Amino acid sequence: MDTTSAKSIARSSSGISSSHHRAAEVWVPGWDAVFGPPRLSEAERQALALLLRSRRVMVGEAVFRRGQSATHLVAVVDGAVGLGVAGEGPAFHLERNIHGPAWLDISSAWLGGGHGQDARVLLAATVLELPVDGLRQLLGRFPDLRERMMQAMARAVQNLTGTTHDLMAKDAQKRLASWLLTQRSPSSGADVALKERKREVAAQLAITPETLSRLLRQLMSAGLIEVKGYTIRLLNLGALQTMAHD
Amino acid sequence: MDTTSAKSIARSSSGISSSHHRAAEVWVPGWDAVFGPPRLSEAERQALALLLRSRRVMVGEAVFRRGQSATHLVAVVDGAVGLGVAGEGPAFHLERNIHGPAWLDISSAWLGGGHGQDARVLLAATVLELPVDGLRQLLGRFPDLRERMMQAMARAVQNLTGTTHDLMAKDAQKRLASWLLTQRSPSSGADVALKERKREVAAQLAITPETLSRLLRQLMSAGLIEVKGYTIRLLNLGALQTMAHD
DNA sequence: CGAACCCTTGATACGCTTCAACAAGAGTGG
DNA sequence: CCACTCTTGTTGAAGCGTATCAAGGGTTCG
């Protein structure tokens, strides 16, 4: 069976393009992407830059731990971080996989409690931390920024609601189908290039790697997809959508 | 088998205590509870009262429908509303059950899209709707209110994160055990009085009513609980906690 | 080369659902 | 008042979906 290019995944973390804002490194490129378009105003970016701290975290390290007091909002600019619950030693029950740029934990800091999960780096990542105390001040001065934060949290709620719906109402096959459809980038057409190992894909779908393998085989036999290592070509989008749709 | 007092559930929706603020009915009692303690300031309450609209919705009616444009944040003051996906006719796949006072949909309006789910009234409910446009203005004037909203959304995120964790990592028995423990009100000691039908409890736990029945019987046989109609007495909190804990 | 991973495949086990039947109120109308 | 129906919960039998366990092959790395 074809399992070539298994390690091609790791390559994407090799080079960090040197910022073209050489003078002041305070603003991290990609931070904009966390908030999404439209771009933040210059004043907002400057104010944020004074607050936030950027950090480079290597594979296997923890960004934060479960129960650890959450004083900062945390985002991933670059790389990938897994959210889950750590077991004994290196064991780690992965639940969600955050690829930068995206928020990693936008909620815990507001409640003054601890982080609800462990966060472990899967692909060397650039992590931003924004102290909630300072952010509070900014939200008073910048209505636009306030709106962005509300929207970011709202999106988090909607995503999680969708996830729970999928877990409650869909079987593994349907979850896989809809996951494949969401992974399809508008640029690459019908090709999905996996950015993580299959066992991590499986974890996010709440199935075992064995089941994922079997399901992919089933979809292949049915002529809906074509699997070549870490590239999956979607051959019949209509059928996949029908399958995914509840 | 004992299935007495089956309809005692419906009784709690009979009387709405007339407000003791007879002069101005603008402020709805229970609205405070949606935000939780500490109480809102008088200025905040007055400003909110100008914006929000209270509505009484009867059993079976829809509070909002999936896809319907979301211009308001929605909360339940009183009664119970089910969140899920409506099927053909009266069919309704229940996913989450909101008992007032609590937020029903705090996220959709911020994104300007539609509601993600259908909301159907299970127990005659008082529903509050707060236009997001007006709320935006208030958030500029009232830092405390802003903080409350952030915390409310953060709590929503944490709850949903907990739910997905449970669905991914726990089996039905564990989910039931932890649900029973959360339902235990501090006042009533070890007694849990079900506020909904067992089939709705089952839906929230993502199991069938048959399975719930069997699981309750198992826990009863094991001497952990005692089931009398719609009252469940928790006989061994320690064992239940051990069972619920991952 | 062997060791450590990752994925795949097969056999088996188990949890939960589905389907069907039944018992126990609650409401309805004669 | 009783017969009737509707609803809810319970119980049993059978079946499906997914996990678990075990084995084997491919690739990378020391």
Side-chain angles (χ1 to χ4, degrees):
Chain A
M1 197 49 40
D2 187 5
T3 58
T4 52
S5 74
K7 280 295 162 62
S8 68
I9 291 173
R11 274 186 232 140
S12 58
S13 70
S14 53
I16 306 127
S17 61
S18 58
S19 165
H20 51 268
H21 283 294
R22 294 205 72 254
E25 195 67 21
V26 284
W27 184 255
V28 182
W31 181 230
D32 281 304
V34 172
F35 277 99
R39 236 171 129 79
L40 295 167
S41 76
E42 196 55 40
E44 287 166 337
R45 292 165 60 178
Q46 282 180 10
L48 278 174
L50 290 176
L51 282 179
L52 59 81
R53 218 184 44 170
S54 167
R55 193 151 69 94
R56 186 85 189 153
V57 195
M58 292 301 129
V59 174
E61 290 182 61
V63 178
F64 52 76
R65 290 176 211 281
R66 189 179 180 201
Q68 178 184 332
S69 174
T71 56
H72 293 63
L73 281 73
V74 188
V76 185
V77 174
D78 179 80
V81 180
L83 238 35
V85 180
E88 305 299 312
F92 190 75
H93 190 95
L94 181 66
E95 282 182 3
R96 229 145 44 85
N97 213 325
I98 311 292
H99 284 266
W103 286 103
L104 184 62
D105 185 347
I106 198 178
S107 70
S108 299
W110 291 105
L111 299 175
H115 293 284
Q117 300 173 97
D118 288 280
R120 180 162 302 188
V121 172
L122 302 174
L123 242 55
T126 309
V127 167
L128 289 177
E129 292 169 318
L130 184 60
V132 72
D133 288 336
L135 180 57
R136 264 187 265 262
Q137 312 302 321
L138 262 53
L139 293 188
R141 302 214 311 269
F142 298 108
D144 282 358
L145 187 61
R146 184 164 72 227
E147 181 70 13
R148 296 298 188 83
M149 286 304 307
M150 294 310 264
Q151 288 184 3
M153 292 196 78
R155 232 176 324 248
V157 172
Q158 303 256 313
N159 284 343
L160 285 166
T161 304
T163 303
T164 58
H165 169 76
D166 286 4
L167 287 172
M168 298 209 301
K170 294 180 179 176
D171 62 10
Q173 183 130 191
K174 287 177 180 174
R175 294 203 299 275
L176 173 55
S178 57
W179 185 84
L180 285 172
L181 290 169
T182 63
Q183 290 296 305
R184 182 174 56 105
S185 71
S187 59
S188 68
D191 272 359
V192 171
L194 300 189
K195 297 197 296 287
E196 54 218 323
R197 289 172 302 175
K198 286 184 180 170
R199 63 177 30 174
E200 275 139 20
V201 174
Q204 288 175 79
L205 295 170
I207 57 179
T208 59
E210 292 95 324
T211 301
L212 174 60
S213 181
R214 283 184 254 264
L215 290 177
L216 285 173
R217 175 150 302 282
Q218 269 180 255
L219 290 178
M220 232 171 88
S221 304
L224 297 186
I225 63 173
E226 197 178 274
V227 183
K228 279 218 185 84
Y230 281 84
T231 306
I232 301 175
R233 171 160 298 170
L234 311 185
L235 299 175
N236 190 338
L237 290 175
L240 284 172
Q241 260 148 2
T242 305
M243 177 175 285
H245 219 323
D246 287 296
Chain B
M1 198 53 35
D2 187 5
T3 58
T4 52
S5 73
K7 279 297 161 61
S8 68
I9 291 173
R11 273 185 233 140
S12 57
S13 70
S14 53
I16 307 129
S17 62
S18 58
S19 165
H20 52 267
H21 284 294
R22 294 204 72 260
E25 194 69 21
V26 286
W27 186 255
V28 181
W31 181 229
D32 281 304
V34 172
F35 277 99
R39 236 171 129 80
L40 294 168
S41 75
E42 195 55 41
E44 287 167 337
R45 292 166 60 176
Q46 282 179 11
L48 278 173
L50 289 176
L51 282 178
L52 59 80
R53 218 184 43 172
S54 167
R55 195 150 68 93
R56 185 86 189 152
V57 195
M58 290 301 130
V59 174
E61 290 183 61
V63 178
F64 53 75
R65 289 175 213 282
R66 189 181 179 200
Q68 178 184 332
S69 175
T71 57
H72 293 64
L73 281 74
V74 188
V76 186
V77 174
D78 180 81
V81 179
L83 237 35
V85 180
E88 306 297 313
F92 190 75
H93 190 94
L94 181 67
E95 282 182 4
R96 227 144 47 85
N97 213 326
I98 311 292
H99 285 266
W103 287 103
L104 184 61
D105 185 348
I106 198 179
S107 69
S108 299
W110 290 105
L111 300 175
H115 292 284
Q117 300 174 96
D118 289 278
R120 181 164 302 188
V121 172
L122 302 174
L123 241 58
T126 308
V127 166
L128 290 177
E129 291 169 318
L130 184 60
V132 73
D133 288 337
L135 180 58
R136 263 188 265 262
Q137 311 302 320
L138 261 53
L139 293 188
R141 301 213 313 268
F142 298 107
D144 282 358
L145 187 60
R146 183 164 72 226
E147 181 70 13
R148 296 297 188 85
M149 286 303 308
M150 295 309 270
Q151 287 184 3
M153 293 197 78
R155 233 175 325 246
V157 172
Q158 303 256 312
N159 283 344
L160 285 166
T161 302
T163 303
T164 59
H165 170 76
D166 286 3
L167 287 172
M168 298 210 300
K170 293 180 180 177
D171 62 11
Q173 184 131 188
K174 287 177 180 175
R175 293 202 300 275
L176 173 56
S178 57
W179 185 85
L180 284 172
L181 290 169
T182 63
Q183 290 296 306
R184 182 175 56 105
S185 71
S187 60
S188 67
D191 272 359
V192 171
L194 300 189
K195 296 197 296 286
E196 54 220 321
R197 289 171 302 176
K198 287 184 181 170
R199 64 177 29 175
E200 275 139 19
V201 174
Q204 287 175 82
L205 295 170
I207 58 179
T208 59
E210 292 95 325
T211 301
L212 174 60
S213 180
R214 284 185 254 264
L215 289 177
L216 285 174
R217 175 151 302 282
Q218 269 181 257
L219 290 178
M220 231 170 89
S221 304
L224 297 185
I225 63 173
E226 196 179 273
V227 182
K228 278 218 186 83
Y230 281 83
T231 305
I232 301 176
R233 170 161 297 170
L234 311 185
L235 300 176
N236 190 339
L237 290 175
L240 284 172
Q241 259 148 2
T242 305
M243 177 175 285
H245 219 8
D246 285 296

